[in-house]
Amino acid sequence: MKPYYLTTAIDYSNGDPHLGHALEKVGADAIARWHRLRGEPVRFLMGMDEHAQKVLQAAEQAGVAPQVWVDRLSERFDSTWKRLHCSHDDWIQTTEPRHAKGVAALIERIRERHPDAFYDGEYEGLYCIGCEEFKSGSQVVEMRCIEHPSRELVPTKEQNTFFRLSAWRDAVLAAIQAGQFRVEPAIRRNEVLRVLEDGLLDISVSRSRLPWGVPFPGTADQTVYVWFEALMNYLSATGFPDAGWDEIWPADLHVVGKGITRFHCAIWPAILMAAGLPLPRMVWAHGYVQWGGAKVSKSEGNAVSLDLAIDRHGPDALRWFLLRDVGFENDGDFTFERFDAVYDSDLANGIGNLASRSLAMIEKYRAGVVPGLLGQESLDVAGESAVHAYKAAMAAIDLKVAAQQIVNLVTEANGYITTSAPWGLAKAGDDARLDAVLAALAHCLVRLAVMASPFMPEKSQALWAALGQGGTPEAAWAMAAEPRLAGVKVAKPENLFPKPPTP
RNA sequence: GGCUGGGUAGUUCAGAUGGUUAGAACGCCACACUCAUAAUGUGGAAGUCGCGGGUUCGAGUCCCGCCCCAGCUACCA
């Protein structure tokens, strides 16, 4: 069975991982975990983009060889994502031999099928002597490079290879319109459609001055231009062109930042079409994390320390906050003030306290053994509908709404406890009612553990274990659909989400 | 400039096809409860729905104009 293959963007090896990167990884991870929860095989790729000029400069500044530099950063990013409980099962660096091999094979495959897909042309751009590279866009202010404002940019021509992007415009446009190649959310799709409707120009895809890169097949001194090559990581990670790659490809989902949608939604599908390969099924472009309303980025120099944010309340809490409050669709804001508020309300006072009080009552009134099911309580009905709504939201990659279902169910459960007042039933000796209430609470907790697992794997695992369940909540969707806990021995865990002492 | 979105309670946001007193969460105030991480529940205060016109019996929801914010605008991952 072909796995659900999803990827995140590969990150530039020229700085530390920050909150913006984290949102993407954690969001993709929640989606990966959701598919595993449904029992699907999943393949989940992350990695590093290492062939940029900036990377060389960063290595030089650090005084180490480029490969040493990128390996160091690769380790740093990978371990950060693992610390955030990301469950990727492949990690690609674009300096790996398998990537160079995949890129070369893909370009050759395009040449075989469409000999005129590539042609020699002249690229003309503004060249900065200081940076030793071409500059454009926001790097150019008043005809000068922002890094070297004392020097004039020199209009320079160089001979290199062009990709006939324009030839695939109609086909890419049609694929998006037909829904065969989905671009989500809609705001991003509209942008891409507009770009395509305006037409595409051919693009230069090689550089002659950069030895740090993948050699362009059939040329003596050219390397593949970095972002053209970077896109191909999704394919080279499947093992392409070696046997077995087509058991993984096409990708089901590319998760990317909104800033790079055009590359993924116009150029990447054109490359694949030229090669006669199937298109990815979906590109999801998330919004950006802002810091107190301002852009967070390495270039702005205000990147919040990711380690600091993780240390605040632990990795699961940060995952929860990013996906539930910052959001995976629109831009969102990160402040410690809000992070603390959401932690207290959703996690400590919400799920954590609900688990605590429910399990404490099962222990106190029934020696920790979940009573048998006596009938359907109102809380069971609420649980079923929460699971239903959650499922629909996850399938639509609406992580915020999915998380909302968890919060809603917690609220339902707290209200149910107040209404049914188990302590009163115990005092009155109404054992039948008390059994029903305690069973319903246990079922509710199981549902919560399962639903929370894509968001907070570690904490939901702890809750799962407290409910006397073996293994992990992964692939345990059946328990959410129909909890079976009669006779199971539960144990109240330590506080799932301890509250820091208030000063 | 062009194109997309958006401007709704202190804050973050919901509000298909126009229709009773505009909703939720967090925060705030009061009360209740005691199983629980001083947690939870109930009630309450809180909004000229960006501005100005228009259509309509009736508009946050449609039309026109304007203001403000964000994004995209091709080789910036």
Side-chain angles (χ1 to χ4, degrees):
Chain A
M1 185 180 173
K2 181 192 172 306
Y4 184 88
Y5 178 34
L6 79 162
T7 69
T8 60
I10 50 178
D11 297 312
Y12 240 167
S13 302
N14 70 340
D16 283 336
H18 59 64
L19 271 173
H21 296 124
L23 173 69
E24 173 173 303
K25 310 314 170 201
V26 158
D29 187 61
I31 296 164
R33 287 177 183 275
W34 158 248
H35 284 275
R36 291 196 199 97
L37 188 55
R38 303 303 311 283
E40 285 176 65
V42 169
R43 186 171 179 94
F44 182 19
L45 173 73
M46 293 187 184
M48 301 298 290
D49 178 16
E50 302 179 322
H51 279 142
Q53 184 74 11
K54 281 188 209 163
V55 175
L56 274 186
Q57 290 164 5
E60 202 172 306
Q61 272 181 12
V64 297
Q67 193 64 52
V68 172
W69 170 261
V70 298
D71 286 346
R72 194 182 287 172
L73 273 179
S74 172
E75 165 59 28
R76 173 146 172 65
F77 273 71
D78 188 25
S79 61
T80 300
W81 306 145
K82 281 178 178 149
R83 190 176 171 215
L84 275 170
H85 303 317
C86 287
S87 59
H88 48 294
D89 40 40
D90 194 5
W91 179 259
I92 191 165
Q93 297 178 241
T94 57
T95 53
E96 285 178 62
R98 62 169 170 162
H99 179 63
K101 184 176 178 182
V103 168
L106 181 56
I107 288 174
E108 267 155 15
R109 180 171 166 130
I110 293 172
R111 277 218 180 99
E112 278 167 25
R113 305 201 170 215
H114 295 278
D116 61 343
F118 295 109
Y119 61 92
D120 291 335
E122 204 165 60
Y123 175 76
E124 179 164 11
L126 297 171
Y127 195 82
C128 174
I129 312 284
C131 299
E132 292 289 335
E133 67 174 338
F134 287 98
K135 295 287 175 177
S136 66
S138 56
Q139 293 182 298
V140 179
V141 175
E142 290 173 3
M143 280 298 285
R144 283 163 190 274
C145 165
I146 52 174
E147 314 247 349
H148 300 91
S150 60
R151 302 194 193 185
E152 256 183 59
L153 286 163
V154 190
T156 307
K157 291 180 180 178
E158 85 172 37
Q159 201 66 24
N160 49 36
T161 303
F162 278 70
F163 174 62
R164 207 176 296 279
L165 180 61
S166 57
W168 281 277
R169 199 276 306 245
D170 293 350
V172 172
L173 189 58
I176 293 175
Q177 283 166 338
Q180 171 204 347
F181 172 51
R182 292 178 59 192
V183 179
E184 301 287 345
I187 177 174
R188 259 63 259 190
R189 178 170 60 246
N190 289 342
E191 280 174 13
V192 170
L193 287 173
R194 175 70 46 202
V195 167
L196 290 168
E197 281 160 11
D198 287 351
L200 295 172
L201 296 179
D202 295 344
I203 51 176
S204 156
V205 296
S206 75
R207 284 292 178 270
S208 64
R209 297 164 191 271
L210 298 178
W212 180 244
V214 176
F216 202 103
T219 67
D221 59 345
Q222 305 256 318
T223 52
V224 183
Y225 195 47
V226 58
W227 53 259
F228 191 68
E229 164 238 297
L231 283 168
M232 300 176 179
N233 87 87
Y234 307 125
L235 184 64
S236 52
T238 66
F240 181 86
D242 296 334
W245 66 272
D246 53 352
E247 287 161 26
I248 299 168
W249 191 260
D252 291 274
L253 175 65
H254 292 311
V255 177
V256 301
K258 64 180 184 180
I260 54 174
T261 47
R262 61 185 316 108
F263 295 94
H264 286 81
C265 302
I267 298 171
W268 181 224
I271 294 171
L272 291 165
M273 283 176 171
L277 293 170
L279 303 187
R281 301 213 164 88
M282 190 192 302
V283 170
W284 178 277
H286 65 260
Y288 288 156
V289 181
Q290 306 205 304
W291 169 245
K295 222 172 244 183
V296 175
S297 72
K298 28 193 185 201
S299 51
E300 296 283 327
N302 65 349
V304 182
S305 162
L306 189 49
D307 288 327
L308 211 65
I310 298 173
D311 291 340
R312 188 76 159 200
H313 302 292
D316 277 9
L318 180 59
R319 289 172 62 106
W320 176 259
F321 180 66
L322 287 172
L323 300 178
R324 135 91 166 152
D325 200 71
V326 173
F328 203 51
E329 178 165 341
N330 300 115
D331 288 357
D333 206 35
F334 185 101
T335 62
F336 278 115
E337 196 184 15
R338 187 143 180 95
F339 186 15
D340 292 347
V342 170
Y343 178 81
D344 277 357
S345 135
D346 285 356
L347 303 182
N349 299 349
I351 299 173
N353 184 237
L354 176 66
S356 179
R357 65 194 305 206
S358 303
L359 293 171
M361 286 190 282
I362 295 173
E363 286 196 329
K364 182 168 179 179
Y365 302 131
R366 290 295 180 267
V369 178
V370 179
L373 188 59
L374 296 174
Q376 200 173 47
E377 290 290 304
S378 65
L379 184 57
D380 292 315
V381 176
E384 271 175 25
S385 78
V387 166
H388 224 78
Y390 169 92
K391 181 179 166 184
M394 288 303 278
I397 314 190
D398 195 340
L399 303 181
K400 216 169 185 171
V401 167
Q404 185 64 50
Q405 304 314 313
I406 295 172
V407 173
N408 289 350
L409 185 54
V410 170
T411 302
E412 282 287 340
N414 279 324
Y416 172 78
I417 292 175
T418 303
T419 310
S420 50
W423 48 90
L425 298 173
K427 209 171 281 177
D430 190 344
D431 282 336
R433 277 300 300 144
L434 186 54
D435 278 353
V437 170
L438 296 178
L441 286 174
H443 295 161
C444 178
L445 289 182
V446 155
R447 289 192 161 108
L448 288 171
V450 172
M451 288 196 285
S453 67
F455 293 87
M456 301 182 286
E458 183 185 356
K459 298 296 185 178
S460 78
Q461 168 69 58
L463 180 55
W464 188 250
L467 289 162
Q469 302 301 303
T472 68
E474 287 214 344
W477 183 249
M479 278 294 265
E482 199 185 340
R484 290 169 191 280
L485 287 167
V488 169
K489 180 94 165 69
V490 301
K492 185 176 167 177
E494 287 178 48
N495 283 357
L496 282 175
F497 301 100
K499 249 183 185 175
T502 40

